[in-house]
Amino acid sequence: MNPPPPRHGTLPAQVSSQRTRVAILKRLRAVTGAMNTATLAAMESRHEWFGQLDAESRSWINVLARSGIDGFVNWLAGEDFSPETVFDAAPRAMAGRITLQQTVDLVRTTTDVVEEQIHLLLPRGDRQALQLGIVHYSREIAFGAANIYASAAEARGAWDSRIEATVIDAVVRAETDESVLSRASTLGWNTASRVVVAIAATPREANLDNLRRASTKLGLDLLTSPHGDRLVCIFGGEAITDSHEACQLVARLEPYFAEGPIVVGPAADGLAGAPQSARAAASGYRAAAAWPEGPRTMLSDDLLPERALSGDGHARRTLGGAIYQSLAASKELLETCVGFLDSGSSMEATSRALFIHPNTVRYRIKRIQEATGYNPTDAREAYVLRMAITLGRLQNS
């Protein structure tokens, strides 16, 4: 951000006599010390936050107040003046210790005190020109302070975006070591919170800010950054309890994502576990095109068959391992599931094929759902079970 051009004070335009201007400025310079002392006393009495600052910060505010009053004298004389130069006396770290609102309080209090001191310490003939000058000067200082804070915020935002992008890249690459957790901590991220990773198409830049605000309203912490043609989002916070709850929350953010599927990985413990969630979400996002009839926002586990067919070894092991083994643990459940699927999901046909009562079929189907989490009477879940049985038998062979 380029600094504004120098401004010139109001005294030359008000007082035509060079001799009179010199006399006014001489009398003003003689009382600047008293004005500075009165300003600090007013800060102490009017603002509680001033008394809570450490001694070093109070000392720098003293320097700033003195610099501001001296700058008023130079500006009033018509010398070249840039408002930002008043703040050059203080270190850059002061912008992190004193908020913009506190800086406004400082400018307002200094202006009020200088006006009061003009009435108390200077002749009546000097007051009108000096009062008009301090009003214009305080405006210049306020704009200068706003410019400094805006520049600091812009630089901080750019720096935070770079750190956020490196954290996202490390999660995608499964390289979440201590240095990555430290970078996330500098962004205010709670590294111990449960997380899920969601992947969608990259939206327009403006939508990312809206996504952040909407996530905050839902109680979700968010780290996000485009990664190629995909948007990778890490959601965390107390609102993340389990995968299904997280998926429902992410579904409420659909208007802020680009068109296309949104795939949510399983919940993980802390940012260190986020790579597993990211891997599953990325695999699901690649395979989502094979199930366009599915919901727009879905869990990666909802796409296990498509992921397995697209070459995801983790999905194959989940289907052929955990799901199949929970079914194969009972021979009668496995036989009933296969018979039910082979009979076109008909209770009566299954009972005839297995020589058991239809109520027995219903009872066993209920047990199959309890054991695997999938209901054979649902067409989609029956497809998952069929794929699990096929892969399980292949792995066991």
Side-chain angles (χ1 to χ4, degrees), residues 84-96:
E84 288 84 354
T85 59
V86 170
F87 300 94
D88 288 346
R92 186 175 296 273
M94 282 294 290

Side-chain angles (χ1 to χ4, degrees), residues 109-130:
T109 301
T110 303
T111 302
D112 292 343
V113 171
V114 169
E115 285 190 89
E116 295 167 2
Q117 295 299 307
I118 287 172
H119 276 277
L120 293 173
L121 303 177
L122 293 167
R124 186 182 300 272
D126 296 351
R127 294 173 187 173
Q128 182 177 358
L130 295 178

Side-chain angles (χ1 to χ4, degrees), residues 381-397:
E381 296 184 14
Y383 176 53
V384 176
L385 289 170
R386 173 66 79 183
M387 182 72 70
I389 292 169
T390 301
L391 290 172
R393 286 172 170 174
L394 286 173
Q395 290 177 16
N396 289 338
S397 67

Side-chain angles (χ1 to χ4, degrees), residues 35-46 50 109 113:
M35 288 181 174
N36 187 63
T37 301
T39 297
L40 294 178
M43 291 293 296
E44 182 80 38
S45 62
R46 299 181 190 181
F50 184 79
T109 301
V113 171

